[in-house]
Every structure is written in structure tokens, then in C-alpha cells.
Amino acid sequence: MKPRKVREGIYWVGAVDWDRRLFDSLIPLPDGTSYNAYLIRGSDKVALLDTVDPTMADVLMTQLESVPRVDYIVAHHAEQDHSGSIPQVLEKYEEAKVITTAKGKGMLMDLLPIPEGRFITVEDGETLSLGERTLEFIHTPWVHWPETMVTYVPEEHILFSCDFFGSHIATTDLYVTEEWRVYEAAKRYYAEIMMPFRKIIRRNLEKIEGYSIDLIAPSHGPIYNRPAFILDAYQDWVSEEPKNVVVVPYVSMHGSTQKMVEYLVSALAGRGVAVHQFDLAVADIGKLAIALVDAATVVIGTPTVHVGPHPLVVYAAHLVNILRPKLRFASVIGSYGWSTRAVEQTAGLIPDLKVEVLEPVLCRGVPREADFEALDHLAAIIAEKHGQLSLI
Ligand code: FEO
């Protein structure tokens, strides 16, 4: 794609990656992604804000063909999907300097062949004039690594936010046109990379509250020309108040655990509790992460494999543990053949969740009447607990 005008002298010069389906060899990208870089021309200096993933460096370099001079490359974040093409840009513009935080400089030197003399580090709140346009750097750690910052341009009321507020969507839309679509993609993105740091992200949101913002231009996905949409969504996601939601990730090998899950889900729904059920054999892990943003309770369903939980459950439980959602309650249900330690071993996989563990329901073989009664009891307890938190 060619450069696209955002404002007079401000251009999107990124790359759209329509076919990427996995990020960090972990995160599913059902809608592809984009790596947004922005060029800002002042009357004295020219700045490039972020670059693109090194796999698409040629796209960026083509966009820069008609740009004779770049004085500064602002590296908001050291991760290579934004920084990976900096060496090529520095090679083309021999006088250009990389502007980043002190932590960012160290990380960029660890990751990329950039000589120390090419860096200028900036403090929180520091400004840099391009002539008629100013870059104000605001340190915003953990969106998504500890070194991250964003840039505010006061003359245009634009916040360039890098990963913060980003969404993995490949699109030709420069601005958000379908908020519902971007909402889900942005929530997936938040859930997978920022949810564990929501306390710090709350502070970052407070920090930018005082700025007058007309546009939020992230480095993934379209630009927000109605910033309140994504700012309000983030306020909701980072709050510590869960919703009346139960998430049930499960695996079933011969149908018994499946029967238990279906019975529990129906019993919860009958008590007015919303449930998201995920068969881990086929589930999109990103959808599971999205559901965890709001959930008050997780019930893990597992058959017993060699005395412990199913390996897919081990993976999912570990993921839930490292994402540290705002869960308040957890339990385990499932079937076993002759012996099991699935409950103890599953509980051992989620040590970082500050949850009350509710009475598990394990059954030998196929579930029978007493097992369904136990599941009814578990559903009643969950509904009662949600009621005590005024979620229902
Ligand atoms: Fe889009 Fe954390 O990089």
C-alpha cells in the first residue's frame, strides 16, 4: 500500500499482513494484522514513528522511497514487529537517530545490530520539536513490555500508542469503521498480552486522561477517530470487577466429561449465569482469553490421563495462570477410569490465581444421577457466590 494521509504532513506508512495467522508462535490471528508506522514532517525535522516487522521491511522501504530525509526514528517498543526494520531505515538515513526510553535502548541493542551512538534516550514527559510540530513522549510501561512509551502530538491532538489500544486486524480501513469488529480484536489483543499487567495499565490510562485526544493511532489495526470507544472499553477491561460469567475450558475423550460439562452449563444458564464453553481440542485460545477478561469463575473440565489432567488442560490451565484474569472462583469437574489426582494436579497449575476453590465434581466412568446432583449443587454454589458479589 502507498502512504496514506492522516493529517497535513502526517502519513501512515505501514504494512498490512493479511496472511499472518500466529504471533509469537502462540497467539492466533484469525484476521491477520498490520504493522503501522507513521511519518511526521515538521518544518525543521522529520520523524518516523515505529517501523514494521522485518518480514515486511521491503514494504516500508518502498513507502519511504520518496522521503529524502528522516531525522528521528521513534521506537515506542523494542519488540521486533515494530523495531525489526530499524536497521534498514538507519542504513538509508545515515544521520537519523533512534529515540527511545533508556530501557528501550538496552533492549533494542540486545535484539538488533544498532550502534550505541545512534540512540537518543528520552525521559517521561520530555518533548522534541520538529518545528511547528512537537513530539511529547509519555512513558507507559507494560503495553506490552516494560520499556514501552507513547507519543502525543499536541498541535494535532493525536496519540501514537504502539501496542496500547492495538488490534490485530488486516484491513484497508485507515480509521475504525466497524466498532464491534475492532472491539473483539482489541479485546483479544488486550487479553493475550496486557491483562496480567492491568494494575499498571490502569495507571497508564490515568496518565493520558489529561490529554485532549482526537485520534489514537496504534501500531496494529485501524486508527480510532472516536477515542472514547476504545478508552471506555479499556476502562472496563482493566477494572477488578468481574461480570456474571463462567468460563468452562474442557476436554473429553469418550464423552463422559462432555456430558458433565453440558449438564453444568445448562444448570448455570438456568440460574441466570452466562457461560462460555470451550472444547480445548478445537478451541481458538484467543476466544478463551477474551472470555477470561470478564469471568468471575472458571470451571476446568478434564478426563484423567495417566492419573493427572489431560495435556491440553495442562496447557490451558498454565495459560489461564499466566494471564492472571480477575477470576474469583475456580473448580474442576471430570471423569476418571480407575484412579485420579486430576484435581490436585490441576489446582497446582494455577498458583497465581487468587481464587476460592469450589468443591470439585469427579465421577468414575460415565456420570450418573448422583454426579448430576453434585453438578446441580456446584451450579447453585456458583450462582450464590455471584449473587453475593452482586453480579446477578
Ligand atoms: Fe506489537 Fe508487543 O508488539
Side-chain angles (χ1 to χ4, degrees), residues 17 34 69 117-118 137 153 203 223 237 257 270 284 286 310 312:
D17 198 341
S34 66
R69 184 177 133 203
R118 303 291 304 258
F137 306 108
V153 177
R203 287 207 291 270
I223 297 172
W237 301 337
T257 301
D284 169 354
H310 190 286
L312 288 175

Side-chain angles (χ1 to χ4, degrees), residues 97-341:
K97 300 281 190 190
V98 178
I99 309 282
T100 190
T101 61
K103 262 193 188 136
K105 174 184 166 184
M107 294 170 87
L108 286 164
M109 289 181 69
D110 288 342
L111 294 169
L112 296 164
I114 305 175
E116 186 164 12
R118 303 291 304 258
F119 285 97
I120 297 174
T121 59
V122 287
E123 298 296 325
D124 188 21
E126 197 170 328
T127 59
L128 179 68
S129 174
L130 305 179
E132 294 171 358
R133 291 236 167 76
T134 311
L135 307 182
E136 180 177 343
F137 306 108
I138 308 165
H139 289 199
T140 49
W142 295 105
V143 290
H144 117 247
W145 286 356
E147 88 296 7
T148 44
M149 68 172 186
V150 299
T151 297
Y152 180 66
V153 177
E155 294 84 0
E156 302 291 341
H157 301 266
I158 302 177
L159 184 74
F160 293 92
S161 62
C162 200
D163 275 354
F164 202 10
F165 310 118
S167 63
H168 282 308
I169 295 184
T171 176
T172 54
D173 294 339
L174 186 58
Y175 297 99
V176 173
T177 54
E178 296 169 302
E179 286 188 345
W180 62 269
R181 185 170 173 234
V182 177
Y183 179 90
E184 172 153 327
K187 192 172 186 180
R188 173 188 287 263
Y189 195 54
Y190 162 81
E192 288 164 332
I193 67 168
M194 293 182 208
M195 183 155 62
F197 315 114
R198 62 186 174 278
K199 189 173 168 188
I200 301 168
I201 293 171
R202 282 201 293 275
R203 287 207 291 270
N204 289 335
L205 286 170
E206 281 166 19
K207 210 166 177 180
I208 62 171
E209 247 171 29
Y211 290 84
S212 165
I213 299 171
D214 291 341
L215 296 180
I216 294 179
S219 291
H220 296 290
I223 297 172
Y224 300 92
N225 51 7
R226 196 175 76 81
F229 153 61
I230 194 65
L231 290 169
D232 290 349
Y234 261 71
Q235 289 291 359
D236 179 34
W237 301 337
V238 301
S239 93
E240 290 301 328
E241 300 308 312
K243 295 189 167 64
N244 179 29
V245 172
V246 176
V247 174
V248 184
Y250 76 99
V251 178
S252 189
M253 297 193 296
H254 296 287
S256 293
T257 301
Q258 171 98 28
K259 278 195 186 97
M260 298 175 76
V261 164
E262 285 171 358
Y263 190 91
L264 177 70
V265 169
S266 173
L268 286 165
R271 287 171 171 81
V273 180
V275 189
H276 296 281
Q277 173 182 329
F278 297 96
D279 179 351
L280 295 168
V282 295
D284 169 354
I285 285 294
K287 290 266 190 192
L288 171 62
I290 290 172
L292 287 167
V293 172
D294 300 319
T297 300
V298 64
V299 179
I300 298 172
T302 183
T304 292
V305 178
H306 298 311
V307 188
H310 190 286
L312 288 175
V313 166
V314 173
Y315 174 83
H318 177 69
L319 189 67
V320 174
N321 187 60
I322 60 172
L323 292 179
R324 297 204 297 273
K326 57 185 98 159
L327 293 164
R328 301 292 180 84
F329 311 102
S331 190
V332 179
I333 64 172
S335 163
Y336 66 97
W338 49 94
S339 173
T340 185
R341 295 192 61 235

